[in-house]
Amino acid sequence: MSESMPPASPGEHRTVLLRGGEVHSPADPFATAMVVERGHVAWVGSEGAADAFASGVDEVVDLEGALVTPAFVDAHVHTTATGFALTGLDLSSAASLAEAAELIRAHAAARPGDRILIGHGWDASRWPERRPLTRAELDELTGDRPLYLTRIDVHSAVVTTALLDLVPGIRDLDGFHDGQRPLTGDAHHAVRAAAFAAVSPLQRTEAQRAARLRAASLGIGTLHECGGPQISSEEDFTGLLDLAREEAGPRVVGYWADLDVERARALGALGAAGDLFADGSLGSHTACLHEPYADHAGHSGSAHLDAATIALHVVACTEAGLQAGFHAIGDAAVAAVVEGVRAAAEKLGLARIRAARHRVEHVEMLTPETIAAFAELGLTASVQPAFDALWGGEEGMYADRLGVARARTLNPYAALLRAGVPLAFGSDSPVTPLDPWGTVRAAAFHRTPEHRISARAAFTAHTRGGWRAVGRDDAGTLVPGAPADYAVWRTEELVVQAPDDRVARWSTDPRSGTPGLPDLSPGVDLPLCLRTVVYGQTVFVRPND
């Protein structure tokens, strides 16, 4: 089904009554109607009470039984890269090296005028050949044109010789491998910068529009853009923020991953945070571990920041009134972040550190000690449950890299919630697709049962949790006074899920007083977004609905 987005209409707010559906609200678990006025929720209640509002509004919307929920917040996105994956070369579906090669060949033939070819999503660990394409193979497939092709985790890439020729000194940089292995580290960052510098402003803007449109079509009202000098460019970052201000669509909150705090502020970032790399990724063997990788003897990954540097950054951000944040995946990297933040708390006081709501991205490898430290220091865990769905299990990539025993400890969402650690859910798109209901499902049906959380807790982490992560406690729920960010869904019967198999997993008993959610059991169709509204303005309507 096609998707559409109306033009921007800044400042235009209509008073709207929605009725005849199910409104997911803690203000009234049985609500069927809602009034929106001046960009905020004005009232939530029953169908009978809605009659009193019908004559005083600009518009009445008959929900015809549809579900209304808060709009989702995706707390970790790379918007332009997501757009390129949507509009360009996406290898995430390739089941073999041969399939990937054919997709590359077809894409190159279809884009003869592009100065550079950009693609994403290959994962050789899932291919029978168990290896990526070599540089010589890529040169042949593209006719010796520049090509930048990231692994699914975006922490390594394969490229053509023509792209290397655009980067003087590339062969002397850390992480350069000549032909047979992907580029990592500094070499990867250098070719990425060259690749995105070769993209025209028009291509970049088209990609950003495509990503925001897809997000809106999935009921996402806010994106946390994670940019930075090693990830994108200042022009990309500021251009996206400008686009979000000028055109209708999901709002964009910007994080700039830079130790230069004042530069982050000057670019309009909420924090010098996001993908400020303490380490790399498990898939690329660059996440920093206490013990070596199971499939790479003697290798424990790469540390990019030490605890002293982390402490200085947290102090600088706290004193500047900005959020600090770090990308940390391996247990050694997470421990370094905890040590650094604790040192900052000793200098500035724990209350100031907690009030700043600093955040850590991904945090896949946690221990009971680091979980307790997150709770003590008030750190938000910005996590991606789809990682477990994609790489978890006894035969998944996590088990390949770490062994089954260590792999079972990853992404312990239940333990984080029990400790009181705030969770914010995201996709890390294009690493995994924008897919909010799929993300909620992945957390509720974690591949390791003891890490599962209720669908309600997961839904909260993907709505209110994203708002809380940017310092807003007044949003993410449909209650009077909250911003009118909501989505309308076609779905089946609503249920209440328990995360523990020792009790009934599903309940439809209305006496529970708990707002229901769609059945997210594996195999059940996910809800279909009919409309998305941001601050009272419609940013997506599904055609023919």
Side-chain angles (χ1 to χ4, degrees):
M1 186 175 291
S2 62
E3 301 168 352
S4 64
M5 183 180 292
S9 51
E12 180 185 319
H13 290 297
R14 295 166 59 80
T15 301
V16 179
L17 168 63
L18 299 94
R19 63 185 307 178
E22 302 278 353
V23 179
H24 185 93
S25 172
D28 183 347
F30 312 111
T32 60
M34 180 172 75
V35 172
V36 173
E37 184 176 22
R38 297 183 179 180
H40 290 78
V41 177
W43 172 83
V44 175
S46 66
E47 190 64 25
D51 291 336
F53 296 95
S55 62
V57 300
D58 299 316
E59 181 183 2
V60 177
V61 176
D62 184 356
L63 294 170
E64 299 180 346
L67 171 67
V68 181
T69 71
F72 286 101
V73 177
D74 193 310
H76 193 118
V77 178
H78 305 287
T79 307
T80 306
T82 296
F84 283 134
L86 291 170
T87 61
L89 176 56
D90 182 1
L91 298 184
S92 59
S93 64
S96 67
L97 186 147
E99 280 189 25
E102 186 51 42
L103 288 170
I104 294 167
R105 190 189 304 277
H107 181 75
R111 311 282 296 210
D114 287 2
R115 289 184 293 175
I116 184 165
L117 302 171
I118 292 181
H120 169 73
W122 61 269
D123 184 358
S125 70
R126 295 188 289 140
W127 295 347
E129 299 86 354
R130 307 289 288 185
R131 70 165 180 88
L133 288 148
T134 67
R135 189 163 306 135
E137 289 168 335
L138 293 173
D139 288 345
E140 188 277 326
L141 290 168
T142 60
D144 295 318
R145 293 164 67 191
L147 167 70
Y148 172 67
L149 196 58
T150 47
R151 189 186 182 278
I152 191 168
D153 59 8
V154 199
H155 283 269
S156 58
V158 291
V159 303
T160 56
T161 303
L163 180 55
L164 291 181
D165 291 343
L166 299 178
V167 190
I170 181 67
R171 288 169 173 79
D172 297 324
L173 295 180
D174 179 60
F176 178 81
H177 306 287
D178 199 5
Q180 301 300 316
R181 291 168 55 195
L183 303 183
T184 60
D186 292 341
H188 176 216
H189 297 155
V191 297
R192 174 162 52 196
F196 281 100
V199 172
S200 71
L202 178 60
Q203 283 179 292
R204 185 172 63 230
T205 301
E206 287 177 344
Q208 292 169 350
R209 286 188 177 124
R212 293 180 74 229
L213 173 57
R214 175 59 64 86
S217 76
L218 295 169
I220 298 170
T222 300
L223 301 170
H224 293 186
E225 165 66 13
C226 291
Q230 293 184 326
I231 302 162
S232 53
S233 69
E234 293 184 4
E235 293 77 15
D236 180 272
F237 186 74
T238 57
L240 175 63
L241 297 183
D242 289 343
L243 185 72
R245 283 189 288 265
E246 295 163 2
E247 297 186 4
R251 66 170 55 77
V252 176
V253 178
Y255 287 95
W256 184 251
D258 199 333
L259 292 174
D260 186 341
V261 174
E262 290 308 313
R263 189 63 193 149
R265 186 202 296 279
L267 293 173
L270 186 70
D275 275 332
L276 184 53
F277 296 120
D279 67 344
S281 73
L282 292 166
S284 292
H285 292 100
T286 52
C288 190
L289 313 181
H290 284 306
E291 300 295 331
Y293 284 86
D295 61 348
H296 198 322
H299 181 67
S300 300
S302 305
H304 300 313
L305 298 172
D306 60 21
T309 302
I310 290 165
L312 288 172
H313 186 64
V314 173
V315 169
C317 286
T318 305
E319 292 183 329
L322 296 178
Q323 284 181 287
F326 306 91
H327 162 121
I329 288 178
D331 51 1
V334 174
V337 169
V338 165
E339 182 182 348
V341 178
R342 181 169 282 129
E346 291 171 357
K347 178 177 177 63
L348 298 180
L350 180 60
R352 287 187 70 185
I353 295 300
R354 288 179 60 87
R357 300 192 185 184
H358 302 307
R359 51 191 282 172
V360 190
E361 312 298 316
H362 314 311
V363 286
E364 292 168 68
M365 293 185 73
L366 288 151
T367 65
E369 292 75 21
T370 51
I371 290 172
F374 267 55
E376 174 195 358
L377 298 166
L379 294 172
T380 294
S382 171
V383 296
Q384 295 74 42
F387 287 4
D388 174 74
L390 183 61
W391 296 317
E394 296 192 359
E395 298 181 356
M397 183 272 287
Y398 287 156
D400 287 346
R401 295 291 184 269
L402 303 173
V404 171
R406 271 194 295 176
R408 286 196 188 110
T409 68
L410 266 59
N411 303 304
Y413 303 137
L416 285 163
L417 280 183
R418 284 195 299 269
V421 176
L423 296 181
F425 280 179
S427 62
D428 198 12
S429 180
V431 175
T432 65
L434 299 169
D435 181 16
W437 284 115
T439 295
V440 174
R441 170 187 279 171
F445 293 92
H446 197 296
R447 288 179 179 272
T448 305
E450 58 262 37
H451 299 329
R452 292 174 181 171
I453 61 176
S454 70
R456 180 184 180 192
F459 179 78
T460 299
H462 217 345
T463 49
R464 192 172 187 179
W467 282 99
R468 189 198 178 282
V470 299
R472 293 282 299 273
D473 293 329
D474 61 339
T477 58
L478 300 180
V479 297
D485 282 30
Y486 62 90
V488 181
W489 307 92
R490 180 184 297 148
T491 188
E492 299 301 324
E493 183 181 21
L494 304 183
V495 295
V496 177
Q497 179 225 349
D500 195 319
D501 286 326
R502 292 173 298 182
V503 298
R505 179 167 291 281
W506 300 106
S507 170
T508 57
D509 188 346
R511 293 173 297 178
S512 67
T514 301
L517 288 169
D519 183 348
L520 301 177
S521 299
V524 174
D525 289 341
L526 294 174
L528 179 68
C529 183
L530 305 178
R531 179 183 296 259
T532 304
V533 175
V534 175
Y535 196 52
Q537 299 185 47
T538 298
V539 299
F540 170 79
V541 177
R542 186 162 297 280
N544 304 319
D545 283 294

